[in-house]
């Protein structure tokens, strides 16, 4: 049981480049989330998927897109990276929305 | 605006020196309060959920309590392995939205 896995672990981009962060869970959870964590600030929700086939914006969705590929996988795409998107990105899942979150190990992204 | 604050920002304790971390919240409707532990370079790990004022939960050296305006995480006789950042989060609407506090960074010295 791997829980929540994320790839890559680290990434450096130049301004304007695009990339996709991958996330998968093997717990048969219905809900999946993408958060970013910045120093001195709490985790902030970017997008979430309450169930397979649905996605919704969170607190800070600008500059991001998501895809719920199937029940296991939820990807986050940066179409044109900006330095303000330098952050640590966490994927999380829960059995249903509102239940405790299980987090992945994170992706540390630097945009130059 | 829904808001969660945590204090202190950082706390250094000697091994065995008990203390408490605070999580204060102003939200439009509390559905649940969650505590997580985060080790450096890792994702947060779930500890407790509290749903109503007066509720308490315990796990090893940790005990979480909840009032109408705040929650405390009491650490009794801490050990160096308790060193971590402790995050609290409030569920404000049934469903997707958790508001996280910035965390308290705890260091327990041997």
């Amino acid at each position: 049981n791997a829980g929540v896995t994320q790839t890559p672990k680290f990434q450096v981009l130049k301004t304007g480049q695009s990339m996709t962060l991958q996330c998968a869970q093997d717990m048969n959870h219905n809900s999946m989330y993408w958060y970013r964590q910045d120093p001195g600030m709490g985790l902030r929700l970017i997008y979430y998927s309450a169930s397979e086939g649905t996605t919704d914006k969170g607190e800070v969705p600008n500059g991001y897109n998501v895809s719920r590929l199937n029940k296991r996988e939820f990807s986050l795409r940066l179409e044109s990276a900006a330095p303000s998107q330098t952050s640590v990105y966490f994927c999380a899942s829960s059995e249903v929305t509102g239940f405790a979150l299980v987090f992945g190990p994170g992706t540390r992204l630097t945009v130059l | 605006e829904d808001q969660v604050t945590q204090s202190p920002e950082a706390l250094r304790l000697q091994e065995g020196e008990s203390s408490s971390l605070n999580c204060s919240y102003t939200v439009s409707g509390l559905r649940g309060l969650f505590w997580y532990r985060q080790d450096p370079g890792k994702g947060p790990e779930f500890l407790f959920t509290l749903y109503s004022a007066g509720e308490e939960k315990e796990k090893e050296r940790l005990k979480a309590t909840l009032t109408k305006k705040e929650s405390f995480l009491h650490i009794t006789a801490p050990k160096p392995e308790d060193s971590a950042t402790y995050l609290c989060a409030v569920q404000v609407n049934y469903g997707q939205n958790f508001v996280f506090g910035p965390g308290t960074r705890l260091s327990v010295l041997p």
Side-chain angles (χ1 to χ4, degrees), chain A residues 49-103:
Chain A
S49 171
S51 60
E52 187 178 356
T54 69
T55 60
D56 283 288
K57 295 178 180 179
E59 182 186 353
V60 289
N62 291 343
Y64 305 95
N65 284 299
V66 291
S67 295
R68 184 76 182 265
L69 304 169
N70 48 55
K71 190 170 185 179
R72 290 187 62 248
E73 298 173 287
F74 189 38
S75 63
L76 178 71
R77 182 160 178 84
L78 286 70
E79 291 291 352
S80 179
S84 60
Q85 294 178 306
T86 293
S87 188
V88 181
Y89 291 85
F90 289 101
C91 178
S93 70
S94 64
E95 193 173 336
V96 293
T97 52
F99 279 33
L101 301 174
V102 178
F103 284 87

Side-chain angles (χ1 to χ4, degrees), chain A residues 37 42 48 90 98 100-101 103-104, chain B residues 34 36 38 43-44 46 91 95-96 101:
Chain A
Q37 186 174 41
Y48 71 99
F90 289 101
L101 301 174
F103 284 87
Chain B
F34 297 74
Y36 292 85
Q38 186 174 23
F46 170 70
Q91 184 190 2
Q96 75 285 355

Side-chain angles (χ1 to χ4, degrees), chain B residues 31-53:
Chain B
R31 296 288 182 172
L33 187 140
F34 297 74
W35 281 98
Y36 292 85
R37 170 194 170 123
Q38 186 174 23
D39 292 304
K42 296 189 176 181
E45 180 183 344
F46 170 70
L47 292 173
F48 304 109
T49 308
L50 302 165
Y51 291 106
S52 57

Side-chain angles (χ1 to χ4, degrees), chain B:
Chain B
E1 182 184 346
D2 299 319
Q3 197 168 21
V4 177
T5 58
Q6 292 187 246
S7 62
E9 184 177 325
L11 181 63
R12 296 182 74 171
L13 299 173
Q14 290 295 134
E15 185 172 1
E17 180 186 2
S18 302
S19 188
S20 297
L21 313 182
N22 177 265
C23 171
S24 297
Y25 57 90
T26 52
V27 297
S28 54
L30 177 69
R31 296 288 182 172
L33 187 140
F34 297 74
W35 281 98
Y36 292 85
R37 170 194 170 123
Q38 186 174 23
D39 292 304
K42 296 189 176 181
E45 180 183 344
F46 170 70
L47 292 173
F48 304 109
T49 308
L50 302 165
Y51 291 106
S52 57
E55 189 175 357
E56 298 182 352
K57 293 272 180 74
E58 282 190 71
K59 181 180 179 180
E60 296 181 359
R61 294 177 292 281
L62 300 177
K63 183 168 90 171
T65 62
L66 181 64
T67 72
K68 288 187 177 180
K69 293 272 176 79
E70 57 192 350
S71 177
F72 292 93
L73 185 64
H74 307 279
I75 303 176
T76 302
K79 297 182 177 181
E81 53 262 42
D82 295 322
S83 297
T85 296
Y86 291 85
L87 307 173
C88 76
V90 174
Q91 184 190 2
V92 295
N93 292 302
Y94 185 75
Q96 75 285 355
N97 200 9
F98 293 88
V99 179
F100 279 83
T104 293
R105 191 170 62 255
L106 174 67
S107 300
V108 182
L109 307 177

